[in-house]
Amino acid sequence: MADSIYKQLRKSPKLSRDDVCNKATDIGMPIQPERLERIENGKFEIHPEEVMLLATIYGDPSLCNAYCSRECPIGQKYVPPIEVK
């Protein structure tokens, strides 16, 4: 099974789950490492505010489009996926 986009983006700058959770706490939106793990492994659905948080931490706003166009029921119908070049 391929890594989810959430795991791929975390691994890209070589951040641990604890690193991400510490940054989230610093921003004022704490997330538990266990929840992040389950999101990355597809066991929990991610909430839109968590997508925005991770996009901020990873410095990658394309994560919001990926979520909207692939996971959000409204976005699946109205938001086309973009490809970052």
Side-chain angles (χ1 to χ4, degrees):
M1 180 171 112
D3 285 344
S4 70
I5 190 166
Y6 307 109
K7 187 182 254 184
Q8 290 171 16
L9 287 174
R10 178 178 58 79
K11 287 179 156 184
S12 179
K14 297 188 179 181
L15 294 171
S16 70
R17 286 190 187 101
D18 286 334
D19 293 335
V20 172
C21 293
N22 289 336
K23 288 177 185 251
T25 299
D26 291 345
I27 291 171
M29 291 186 62
I31 186 170
Q32 297 300 314
E34 297 81 15
R35 176 159 178 78
L36 182 57
E37 177 183 10
R38 290 180 179 128
I39 288 168
E40 289 180 348
N41 293 326
K43 295 184 180 187
F44 279 4
E45 287 187 24
I46 192 166
H47 298 131
E49 60 274 7
E50 292 169 329
V51 174
M52 292 176 55
L53 173 67
L54 295 178
T56 299
I57 291 171
Y58 302 148
D60 193 339
S62 69
L63 182 60
C64 296
N65 175 265
Y67 168 78
C68 288
S69 64
R70 297 178 191 151
E71 297 181 51
C72 170
I74 296 169
Q76 287 174 338
K77 185 170 183 175
Y78 298 108
V79 177
I82 59 169
E83 302 241 357
V84 179
K85 295 181 180 183

